[in-house]
Amino acid sequence: MPVNVITLHQENLVEKYTLDLIAKQSSGALWYQNGGTVIVASVAVDEKPVEEDFLPLTVQYIEKSYAVGKFPGGFIKREGKPGEFETLTSRLIDRTLRPIFPKGYTYPTQITIMVLSYDKKSDLQVCALNAAANALYISSLPFFQAVCAVRIGKIGNRFVLNPSPEEMAQSNLDLYVSGSNDDLLMIEMRSLAHSPNTEPTNAEPSAFDISENDLLEALSIAKKSIAKGCLQYQQAFDTHKLPPLDMAFNIPAENPDITAYIKEHFSEKISTAIAQMAKSERNLGLKKIATEVFTSYGEAQGWDLKAILRAIEAQKVKIVREQILSSGIRSDGRGYTDIRPIDIQTNILPFAHGSVLFTRGQTQALVVSTIGSENDAQFQESLSDKGANKEKFMFHYNFPGFSVGEASPISSPNRRELGHGNLAKRALEASILEKSKTIRLVSEIMESNGSSSMASVCGGSLALCASGIPVRALVAGVAMGLVAEGEKYAVLSDINGLEDHDGDMDFKVAGSRNTITAMQMDTKLKGVSFEILEKCLFQAKNARNHILEIMEKARDEIVLNTDILPSMQAFNIHPNKIVEVIGQGGRVIKDIIERFKVSIDLDRENGGVKISGSNHNGVMEAKHFILNLIDSRADSDKYHIGEIFEGEVKKVLDFGVFVGLPKGGDGLLHISRFEKDKAPFIKEQIHDGDKIKCQILGFNKGKIELDLIKE
């Protein structure tokens, strides 16, 4: 079977593309290999276009468990619902390739990327995008554009192109960039707080510091690498494109009479509708105008209502963009750099650990924090992991239909919700100093008119503070927009929904005053120039600092829900002593958990002990009890067998009574020490705080056993 094998050398990548090997009935497919990683990418196209005016593109990135010799996790041993990494990678590829499809393309198109073998060294997201882009390039679709992806890390002061997993473990930057020739199509960036081998402290902020200049330098390196990669792809694949399909692009023809009539008679009403900033109100206003045009004049002229709606939409877009570029005034009356009014309310939910209602203009996010122990961590499993990983920081973003006035049911999170939640998580993760607790942030979008994900970042940073979690610095997020016509362009700070819809770019930046923690860029253009990126970054910094001033004032006024905040103590004992804490059949640890109302996590290997509970005093008492329990030598020095004393009852349980000792620590007065006929009624006879006379019977593995002295 004749096949074509093409080997290309990128930075730290040796990519081998095998053509004409698999999926020959698809519209384009290839077999991709980098090291021991093998990926199949295919493109399938339906012959019949959809009637609606949108691009019906679907991207599915799928990881097969057999790629690393594993069975799928869970009860059913078959791949099912995609994992979070698969969903986010699918979005990454979709957001890169969508802009290169021509206007009017309405044929249902499916791009499938399957990981068949994984060497645990390759960057799956870089490999997957390159494979998908080149499968699209050689496909039978009647358009093509070379696309390349790279990842940039930063170790010390050195930028690393397509770093290995070992290098990424030392990097404080994770920058993923895709582009075509000299243009950048999509950017994902996050700062990494520290090396995994280093425990962060307040005195160690350097890994948190990714500045605008650092990012621009990294983007410059990425741009050069992408241009070089695209040139290689063009030279390698130009002669291997499949014969193009005969496709008609669905670009609705404009009726010049409708356009002229609307412009002359209804421009003012359209401008008034634009000023209705709520999406539902604006759409309703435009539909009313269309109905008025149709009934008053259009029906007699034989105009179609859909054609009128299209003409009104086109006029609306034109008015919005011309107003911005010509007069410097945006649809809501703001200038290019103005931020919408901000209101912040903290800890408005009495029984949540932390809560913040963050409102910016007509965008409102209620972000709620919940603090837990290691037992509350989310288990995640992926191809690159030896086993399930514990995810101790979670950010869940929910976008109910009512937030934009839509009557839609609430269902499981979609790709957009997962993507926005992941962006907010990446923005905040580097700022968290507390690594021992499990933290869950949930952003409930109450109202949305532009960048609810960035409102979630702002609310999330304050929600951490509102639940007593220490952070390196507050983190704010802002969405930047772009309107470009020819050489003329305007960069907009804090875009609203209309500017997002009718503009050319959505550029989200999150960070502290002088650092960037996360960034995401999507564009409707064929690419964005470096000049525009630079202007966006520094304009976003000014916007971010304005928001942070307001957030800092809100942080100073936070009143913690102290009574319900969980407490945790982490300490180490000698690993050999762990068995004493557990006790025979787990009896001792069960007694401690029941007595002090706490959760306890033990690490047999290093002797780690983590105690958590909803009551701070109970946690501290449990800690002291464990320390006293294992310190048998010290107890023997402090007390002697036969010693009689009067102690205070600390806790009455079914199996006995814990009594406070005069020189510190507790002793156990077992139920067997009571008379048989009185033992069943121990809780009726003795109460917490009572004084009783006891005698020390002996020491058993650090536990002091007592006898009751009868009066």
Side-chain angles (χ1 to χ4, degrees), residues 426-565:
R426 291 158 71 99
L428 296 174
E429 196 164 20
S431 71
I432 298 173
L433 288 170
E434 177 59 77
K435 301 297 181 182
S436 58
K437 296 177 182 177
T438 298
I439 303 168
R440 180 184 185 230
L441 294 179
V442 180
S443 178
E444 310 284 5
I445 304 304
M446 298 287 111
E447 185 179 8
S448 179
N449 184 10
S451 194
S452 54
S453 63
M454 294 295 95
S456 299
V457 170
C458 299
S461 186
L462 285 169
L464 291 170
C465 299
S467 53
I469 297 295
V471 296
R472 284 183 171 86
L474 284 176
V475 173
V478 64
M480 311 296 292
L482 172 70
V483 175
E485 296 287 350
E487 297 297 318
K488 195 172 184 180
Y489 70 87
V491 174
L492 311 177
S493 298
D494 182 26
I495 57 172
N496 57 42
L498 184 64
E499 292 162 343
D500 185 9
H501 184 271
D502 295 339
D504 299 315
M505 182 180 71
D506 183 10
F507 188 98
K508 299 181 176 76
V509 188
S512 61
R513 285 193 174 273
N514 296 308
T515 66
I516 298 175
T517 57
M519 185 183 76
Q520 185 182 94
M521 185 203 79
D522 297 306
T523 179
K524 300 171 189 173
L525 303 172
K526 296 295 183 181
V528 178
S529 71
F530 207 73
E531 175 191 351
I532 291 175
L533 285 178
E534 184 174 10
K535 184 171 179 60
C536 279
L537 280 173
F538 284 99
Q539 191 168 313
K541 181 177 182 179
N542 293 333
R544 203 166 66 240
N545 286 339
H546 169 79
I547 298 166
L548 283 167
E549 284 184 13
I550 301 170
M551 289 174 61
E552 286 163 359
K553 292 178 183 176
R555 179 185 58 184
D556 294 341
E557 297 174 1
I558 289 174
V559 178
L560 295 177
N561 293 340
T562 309
D563 292 342
I564 63 166
L565 278 180

Side-chain angles (χ1 to χ4, degrees), residues 162-175:
N162 292 326
S164 66
E166 293 76 19
E167 288 173 320
M168 275 305 296
Q170 302 301 318
S171 175
N172 62 352
L173 170 68
D174 180 4
L175 174 66

